[in-house]
Amino acid sequence: MAKIATAARNPAHAGKNVGGEGVALKVLEPASRMSLRARPDTIAALSKALGVTLPQKPKSSAAKAGRTALWLGPDEWLVIDEAGGDPVADCAGVKGLHSAVDVSHRNVAIAVTGPNAAATISSGCPQDLSLAAFPVGAASRTILGKVEIVVLRTGEDTFRVECWRSFSDYVWGFLSEAARDAG
Amino acid sequence: MLLIRCPYCEEERPELEFRNAGEAHIARPTDIASISDEDFEKFFFIRSNKKGLVFERWRHVHGCARFFNAVRDSVSDKFLLTYKAGEPKPDVSTLTAEGGPAAWANRPPDQLNEKPKSKRSTKGEA
Ligand SMILES: [Zn+2]
C-alpha cells in the first residue's frame, strides 16, 4: 500500500518573537509578494488590475484591502499581498510590456513595533527614520548592517522589515541585539 | 557619513546605499569591431583620473538601483551635482564648491534636502 506523503512548508523563523523594553519583534505570516517592473505607460493598467494605485513618488507606498505596493525605483515596485490574493495572476491580463515575478518565498518579513522601533532599526540602517523624514506609509529599499532590506513604516511606532530569506538569520539576530540595546 | 543626492529618489541618502561605477560620459564606439587596438585600449582602459572635478557614474544600488552621474571633487570628496543618466554633461564653469563635505552631515531633517542658500553659507559648519 502506497502511503500518501504531504509536504508542509515551514517558513524561516516562523513564530519567533522578541519582546524588549519599548520594542517588540515578530516574524510575520507568509505573504504573496511580487517584484513588478513597468514603464510609465503601463502603470495605469497595472494599477487597475491590482486594485491598488502604484505609487510614483519616491519612498512611498499605497495600500488597499490587504495589498501594499511599495515604490522601490522609478520603474520598480514590491507588491505584498497579505489577504491570500495572487498579484501575479492579477497582472497576467495586462497587455502592456511589464515584468511580474512571484517572489513570495524569497522574503521574510519582521514587524518591529513599539516606541523604540525606529531606534532599533536605526542601529544598523543609515537612513533618517524620524517621522519628518520617513512618515507613516514611507517605504524604501536600504541596508541594515551588511545586508539589503526593504523598510515600510506602517504606523508611527510600527515598521515592516523585509529581507531575503537567506539573510533572515542575520537580520533577526541584528534586530534582536538592537532591540535589547534600544530598551 | 557622506550624503549623496539621488536624482531619482530626489533626496540625499547615506553613502552606504551607493556604489561608484567609474568615469562618466565615455561613449562606446558605434562599430567596436572596426576600431584599432590602440583606440580600443583608449576606450576600454584609459581613464582621465583627474585631481579635482571629476565626472563619475554612480549607482544607488541599495535604493532605487538606478545609475546616475555625478560631479565630484576628488580632493575634498564633495559632490557638486548629481544628475540623471542620459542628461548632458554640465558646464563645469557654472559649478562651484559649496561648503566642505562635513557641512552636509548633521543637518536637521527639515533642512536635509535644502540647497545651500549662498555659495559659502555652509562653510565651516559641521
Ligand atoms: Zn535612488
Side-chain angles (χ1 to χ4, degrees), chain A residues 71, chain B residues 6-10 13 18 60 63-66 68:
Chain A
W71 185 99
Chain B
C6 171
Y8 295 97
C9 292
E10 297 165 3
R13 298 279 282 265
F18 296 84
H60 194 186
C64 65
R66 283 295 173 122
F68 60 91

